[in-house]
Amino acid sequence: MKFLYSLLFFVFAFNLQAQTNLDYYLPQNTTYNPDIPTPQSVIGHEVGEWHVTHDKLVQYMYALAEASNRISIENRGSTYEDRPLLLLTITSPENHSNLSEIQNAHIAATESNTVSTANRPIVVYQGFSIHGNEPSGSNAALLFAYYLAAAESDAVKQLLDESVILLDPAFNPDGLQRFAYWANTNRGKNLNPDPNDREYREVWPGGRTNHYWFDMNRDWLPVQLPESRARIATFHKWLPNILTDHHEMGTNSTFFFQPGIPSRTHPLTPKLNQELTKKIGNYHAKALDKIGSLYYTEENFDDFYYGKGSTFPDINGGIGILFEQASSRGHIQESANGLLTFPFTIRNQFTAALSTLEAAESMREELLTYQHNFYKNARQEAAKENGKAIVFGDEKDAAKTYHLAEILKRQNITFYDIKSDFKANGKSFKKGYSYIVPKNQKHTRLINAMFEKRTTFTDSLFYDISAWTFPLAFNVDYAENVSTSHLGEEVTELTMKPGKVTVKSNYAYLMQWHEYYAPKALNAILKSGIRAKVAMQPFTLQNTSYDYGTILIPVQNQSKNADELYSFLNEIAKESHVTIDAASTGLTEGIDLGSGKFRTLEQPKIALIVGDGITSYDAGELWHLFDQRFDMTVTKLDTRSLQRTNLDRYNTIILPSGSLNGADVKALKTWVENGGTLIGYRYALRWLNNNEFLKLNFKTVERTATNISFEERSDYNGAQVIGGAIFETKLDRSHPVNFGYKNDKLAMFRNTTLFVSADKQSYNNPIQYTKNPLLSGYISQSNLDSLSLTVPFKVQRLRRGNVAVFTDNTNFRAFWYGTNKLLLNTIFFREQL
């Protein structure tokens, strides 16, 4: 028996070694140019033997570009960790010598009513491993690039003549590096397929996300991250006909390629798009049949949210294709389908990459014609909207308006300044604080996708969010069907409104709280040791109305003299793009500047709880908000060491969605009772309630499945999920949590079923859902009934401190600018809540 086991292991090890040879992966119907370096000759190991680190991946791609006249390479920018964002352009040497003309002709075909497809190459963008711990894609990119550079067959040469391939070998360099380190440092000489082994159990937060723990496959539409900005610029430069996005899924799965579930396609996507996707799928099926790999299609995933890589092309005239490969999550792992090896997963991704090119070449004219007609039809739709436009802005917050315009700019949408101030739909739009978007333009369908409000659906299940209406996300005023007569100059160079101090004062300075970056300015002021106060009531001074939350900076008794303070505040105003007014007197209409209604503020000292038990997405969005947007230092406290940490260093602690160990309760509660402010998000509310940090009354929803079969039970339960929709709330603007909001209505994003009952005392409900709150997105009727008149925010005292909680994420995916200030208010005005 021992001999038999040894023999089986020997055979098993031999087969694994054979799997990492190039012959296992590469087509054998061609010769390979010996002058082109193999992956092993550069990175030092066979593909699939180790997980390639990003630095080695970069090294190999540069080596290929140096050796091959089929490849050019560019670095389009850097990640947060300063890793390069590479793009390889792969085509025939003849096409390379004429690349600008090919690119110009390709774009021109999307802008003309007649076009020839006979001699134009098809453009295919192939991207790998946007989730860093789904590494088979980027490892397959080594083989894919080598094959296209080295294969000498006539078929490959013809393919390169008829195609321009944009190869993005690592959508997520930081995550890939993090995961490769984990998998490689836990790999033994004797590979262990036991799923309990540490190799297959990453430490928090795992390698899926980028530096700030964002899922970057949700950022194609909002474009908030540097990796996204690079690839979106490439996308619009080329408008590829096909874009592939290579992923991994559960170890017990097989291989998935699109189309997904037909009923879950966004209505703005043409029907022909899905038909072509299915036709391309036949090429994948044929290729996977040939190597004996199991697969499925049309049973999972969807094409609804346009912020995913496989769906974004669908609203831009291309075909997006998602590949999902069963993941070994390391080097080899037991699965329901036998031993799943890392090389096997790589080979499937490589095979699908090649079958994509085969489909692209075979369907070249069909796909070029589809793209041409997509934009031709879009122009016809846009012509019907001639003279109509969308206007958006916030007359008191130029920065927030700028950041929405910034997204439009990145998406190649044309927009204008407004000619002069005007009103529409009861909203005021101020020149310099507003932009207007004509509907009669090339990307009219993309504009519709970004601005639409949708509340009716053919399916009640969503793989991702069901609403992302951008003006609601940014909390800007907007109006549709506005006349283009309001168009001013086209915005070609988008710039943020400069900040300033109006004049020097020897008495006091005042800063309104409406501007998005006012918290950044206040933090810098308090951090420098300058005293500041907040107005708890509105007042008027020197013919200017000052709202709730206005910041007062006295001149006297400061650590800087009057000249130094003026100079310092001027720099702060410029850096934060805010206007700071000079006050020459304390006598106002309303509360005077010496009134007790101005409350002294304390510099925030913030800790963010991270680690096991905490949702990394939510934690990362918070970290990013403070670090990148507001230049506020935040200390990340790991759950493993929370009990041993001196919490007295902080006056604010944030608990993202998740829960802590029972042993952490005493230390955290004592800290709150001694004066700290604890802010909890999403499912942390249940933990806080169960551990008596505060008392919440959760509404429960009783459901009884009627006429639902066993087969339908999963869909029935899925329809009760709020995957991500937008709802209307009513604000009490006098409450400090709402300082800086000029309207009494606020759109809030929600993706939980936490329904918190309102307090009997109305003043304890500063934010409350309206009676009919749905603005955009899907929610079941029973959940909508439960949500009505509940509250998304609660604050309660706990001896000397307080606990403030939000049922949902106010910082969702970095583009939900409109509710960021709720968190900042809770921090800066914590003692006034």
Side-chain angles (χ1 to χ4, degrees):
M1 189 66 162
K2 185 176 181 181
F3 172 76
L4 179 61
Y5 177 81
S6 299
L7 180 63
L8 288 172
F9 187 81
F10 174 78
V11 173
F12 168 67
F14 179 80
N15 287 337
L16 275 180
Q17 185 177 6
Q19 277 190 321
T20 60
N21 293 333
L22 287 181
D23 290 350
Y24 173 70
Y25 302 110
L26 298 178
Q28 298 304 301
N29 59 352
T30 182
T31 57
Y32 292 90
N33 184 345
D35 294 331
I36 302 299
T38 65
Q40 184 184 27
S41 69
V42 176
I43 66 175
H45 61 82
E46 292 281 13
V47 176
E49 183 180 3
W50 295 90
H51 284 251
V52 71
T53 54
H54 187 259
D55 55 323
K56 287 186 175 182
L57 183 66
V58 168
Q59 183 185 10
Y60 182 64
M61 294 305 169
Y62 273 109
L64 271 186
E66 178 71 23
S68 174
N69 60 0
R70 300 174 180 178
I71 297 178
S72 62
I73 193 168
E74 61 178 303
N75 177 12
R76 299 166 296 167
S78 300
T79 69
Y80 284 118
E81 296 177 13
D82 285 329
R83 292 192 173 85
L85 296 166
L86 298 186
L87 181 75
L88 281 69
T89 302
I90 306 176
T91 189
S92 67
E94 293 75 17
N95 285 344
H96 266 297
S97 65
N98 198 32
L99 202 59
S100 292
E101 289 80 0
I102 291 172
Q103 187 259 334
N104 289 336
H106 186 78
I107 297 300
T110 67
E111 297 170 348
S112 61
N113 288 330
T114 58
V115 70
S116 171
T117 61
N119 298 311
R120 283 200 296 118
I122 190 168
V123 180
V124 183
Y125 191 143
Q126 296 185 270
F128 298 89
S129 299
I130 202 165
H131 297 140
N133 62 357
E134 299 176 5
S136 57
S138 285
N139 283 266
L142 293 164
L143 299 164
F144 186 58
Y146 171 74
Y147 173 78
L148 293 175
E152 297 281 15
S153 70
D154 290 340
V156 170
K157 291 177 181 178
Q158 181 177 331
L159 168 69
L160 294 174
D161 279 336
E162 297 185 355
S163 309
V164 173
I165 300 152
L166 308 173
L167 172 59
D168 198 327
F171 275 146
N172 181 3
D174 296 347
L176 182 72
Q177 187 79 8
R178 193 185 316 138
F179 181 74
Y181 166 81
W182 176 263
N184 290 337
T185 55
N186 284 284
R187 176 191 187 273
K189 172 188 172 185
N190 297 300
L191 301 184
N192 186 355
D194 185 346
N196 295 316
D197 191 83
R198 188 171 188 260
E199 181 178 354
Y200 313 111
R201 297 177 180 273
E202 289 178 85
V203 293
W204 193 97
R208 178 181 177 87
T209 50
N210 77 339
H211 176 77
Y212 284 102
W213 312 329
F214 279 86
D215 182 341
M216 293 197 303
N217 196 38
R218 304 298 186 267
D219 194 43
W220 291 75
L221 199 58
V223 206
Q224 295 300 301
L225 307 171
E227 301 91 340
S228 308
R229 293 170 188 175
R231 65 175 181 265
I232 293 301
T234 298
F235 186 97
H236 285 297
K237 177 182 177 181
W238 276 100
L239 290 179
N241 301 99
I242 299 176
L243 185 145
T244 61
D245 190 13
H246 293 252
H247 289 253
E248 293 181 7
M249 53 182 169
T251 301
N252 291 321
S253 303
T254 56
F255 192 92
F256 170 85
F257 55 83
Q258 282 184 311
I261 297 175
S263 62
R264 299 176 194 169
T265 301
H266 197 288
L268 292 178
T269 299
K271 184 179 179 182
L272 182 55
N273 173 285
Q274 293 295 289
E275 294 172 2
L276 292 170
T277 303
K278 190 170 184 176
K279 187 173 180 179
I280 293 170
N282 293 331
Y283 290 85
H284 307 319
K286 179 182 175 182
L288 292 168
D289 286 342
K290 187 174 181 180
I291 62 173
S293 289
L294 297 174
Y295 55 85
Y296 70 99
T297 185
E298 294 188 290
E299 296 178 27
N300 207 343
F301 303 103
D302 69 13
D303 271 324
F304 193 84
Y305 172 47
Y306 287 122
K308 297 184 299 181
S310 60
T311 313
F312 179 77
D314 299 345
I315 197 63
N316 287 285
I319 308 294
I321 299 176
L322 170 70
F323 296 118
E324 291 276 358
Q325 161 64 49
S327 180
S328 64
R329 284 290 185 266
H331 291 85
I332 182 172
Q333 193 174 166
E334 297 168 6
S335 82
N337 297 301
L339 289 175
L340 181 64
T341 67
F342 186 40
F344 178 83
T345 69
I346 294 170
R347 184 175 67 163
N348 282 343
Q349 299 280 25
F350 172 67
T351 299
L354 291 188
S355 61
T356 299
L357 293 183
E358 182 184 358
E361 184 184 13
S362 299
M363 299 171 59
R364 182 181 63 83
E365 292 198 40
E366 189 174 7
L367 291 168
L368 289 171
T369 300
Y370 168 76
Q371 183 182 63
H372 169 74
N373 288 336
F374 177 95
Y375 283 103
K376 183 177 180 179
N377 294 335
R379 282 193 298 277
Q380 292 172 356
E381 294 168 12
K384 296 175 183 178
E385 301 288 329
N386 191 35
K388 297 179 182 178
I390 299 172
V391 63
F392 66 90
D394 187 321
E395 60 183 332
K396 295 185 178 180
D397 188 350
K400 192 174 57 180
T401 305
Y402 164 88
H403 284 300
L404 176 51
E406 193 177 39
I407 296 174
L408 300 182
K409 197 73 177 171
R410 290 175 185 144
Q411 296 291 6
N412 269 20
I413 293 170
T414 302
F415 58 95
Y416 297 75
D417 286 315
I418 61 173
K419 189 184 299 181
S420 58
D421 298 357
F422 72 96
K423 289 187 176 183
N425 292 352
K427 303 292 184 182
S428 297
F429 296 97
K430 184 178 178 182
K431 183 176 172 59
Y433 290 76
S434 305
Y435 298 104
I436 187 166
V437 187
K439 293 293 294 294
N440 189 6
Q441 61 172 291
K442 179 175 183 176
H443 293 294
T444 188
R445 289 177 170 177
L446 182 57
I447 293 169
N448 289 338
M450 295 179 69
F451 282 82
E452 75 162 5
K453 292 195 293 185
R454 184 178 296 274
T455 56
T456 58
F457 303 88
T458 58
D459 200 311
S460 56
L461 296 176
F462 300 86
Y463 184 72
D464 201 77
I465 60 177
S466 61
W468 52 87
T469 312
F470 277 81
L472 296 180
F474 277 74
N475 184 38
V476 291
D477 296 328
Y478 77 110
E480 300 181 272
N481 297 321
V482 172
S483 171
T484 53
S485 64
H486 295 290
L487 265 63
E489 295 294 321
E490 181 181 346
V491 179
T492 55
E493 295 294 328
L494 185 63
T495 57
M496 197 178 293
K497 194 174 182 64
K500 64 179 180 179
V501 176
T502 51
V503 294
K504 180 188 170 186
S505 174
N506 290 313
Y507 189 79
Y509 295 96
L510 297 168
M511 179 178 70
Q512 297 263 30
W513 195 243
H514 300 109
E515 278 287 353
Y516 183 78
Y517 287 110
K520 179 180 179 180
L522 179 57
N523 184 67
I525 290 167
L526 295 174
K527 188 177 180 180
S528 73
I530 300 298
R531 291 182 296 105
K533 298 185 177 186
V534 60
M536 301 299 290
Q537 292 180 10
F539 60 96
T540 300
L541 178 64
Q542 297 164 191
N543 297 318
T544 300
S545 297
Y546 292 92
D547 208 346
Y548 297 104
T550 296
I551 303 301
L552 164 67
I553 305 109
V555 173
Q556 300 304 313
N557 300 323
Q558 297 280 16
S559 57
K560 299 180 187 295
N561 64 37
D563 289 337
E564 292 170 336
L565 183 60
Y566 171 67
S567 177
F568 171 75
L569 291 179
N570 223 356
E571 287 302 313
I572 294 299
K574 290 177 182 177
E575 290 173 5
S576 302
H577 305 278
V578 299
T579 297
I580 299 177
D581 295 331
S584 59
T585 176
L587 190 63
T588 76
E589 295 179 27
I591 56 171
D592 293 330
L593 300 193
S595 167
K597 297 295 184 180
F598 282 91
R599 304 287 173 79
T600 301
L601 298 173
E602 182 182 18
Q603 182 195 353
K605 297 177 182 178
I606 307 167
L608 174 67
I609 298 177
V610 302
D612 293 339
I614 302 299
T615 302
S616 60
Y617 292 170
D618 291 16
E621 287 158 4
L622 287 159
W623 179 25
H624 175 270
L625 183 77
F626 293 122
D627 200 36
Q628 289 291 328
R629 296 264 172 84
F630 294 104
D631 284 338
M632 295 173 67
T633 301
V634 57
T635 299
K636 300 184 295 299
L637 301 180
D638 198 286
T639 53
R640 294 173 299 175
S641 56
L642 196 60
Q643 298 173 58
R644 302 186 298 274
T645 301
N646 176 16
L647 301 181
D648 294 338
R649 295 170 61 97
Y650 317 106
N651 53 34
T652 305
I653 294 178
I654 303 174
L655 177 61
S657 187
S659 61
L660 303 175
N661 293 325
D664 296 320
V665 172
K666 183 177 180 181
L668 200 55
K669 188 174 289 186
T670 298
W671 172 83
V672 175
E673 290 174 341
N674 289 335
T677 296
L678 178 62
I679 303 172
Y681 271 101
R682 300 201 326 130
Y683 292 105
L685 272 65
R686 293 202 181 278
W687 184 85
L688 291 167
N689 188 63
N690 292 341
N691 288 281
E692 299 180 345
F693 281 83
L694 76 173
K695 182 63 177 175
L696 300 174
N697 180 19
F698 293 106
K699 291 177 67 174
T700 57
V701 182
E702 296 293 335
R703 299 189 186 93
T704 302
T706 304
N707 297 322
I708 301 296
S709 70
F710 179 80
E711 182 182 12
E712 297 167 331
R713 73 196 188 286
S714 179
D715 286 354
Y716 169 77
N717 290 325
Q720 310 311 315
V721 172
I722 304 175
I726 307 171
F727 301 92
E728 182 184 65
T729 63
K730 183 175 176 58
L731 304 183
D732 173 0
R733 293 183 58 252
S734 72
H735 194 285
V737 75
N738 296 322
F739 284 178
Y741 288 95
K742 69 181 183 65
N743 297 328
D744 64 357
K745 297 289 177 61
L746 176 66
M748 295 192 70
F749 176 83
R750 162 175 280 268
N751 62 355
T752 70
T753 53
L754 294 171
F755 306 126
V756 177
S757 298
D759 195 90
K760 293 179 180 179
Q761 307 298 334
S762 62
Y763 52 76
N764 286 330
N765 304 315
I767 313 173
Q768 187 170 16
Y769 288 109
T770 56
K771 185 172 180 59
N772 299 299
L774 180 61
L775 293 174
S776 186
Y778 171 79
I779 183 173
S780 68
Q781 187 60 53
S782 59
N783 279 334
L784 183 59
D785 293 341
S786 297
L787 180 65
S788 176
L789 299 178
T790 61
V791 294
F793 170 80
K794 277 278 192 179
V795 59
Q796 293 178 14
R797 300 294 300 180
L798 185 60
R799 294 187 64 183
R800 291 169 51 202
N802 53 24
V803 180
V805 294
F806 294 92
T807 59
D808 290 271
N809 189 350
T810 59
N811 320 294
F812 185 67
R813 292 181 182 168
F815 81 95
W816 213 269
Y817 279 73
T819 50
N820 289 162
K821 192 161 284 183
L822 296 176
L823 170 62
L824 276 300
N825 288 348
T826 308
I827 292 170
F828 281 103
F829 311 137
R830 65 187 192 87
E831 293 185 348
Q832 287 76 44
L833 293 174

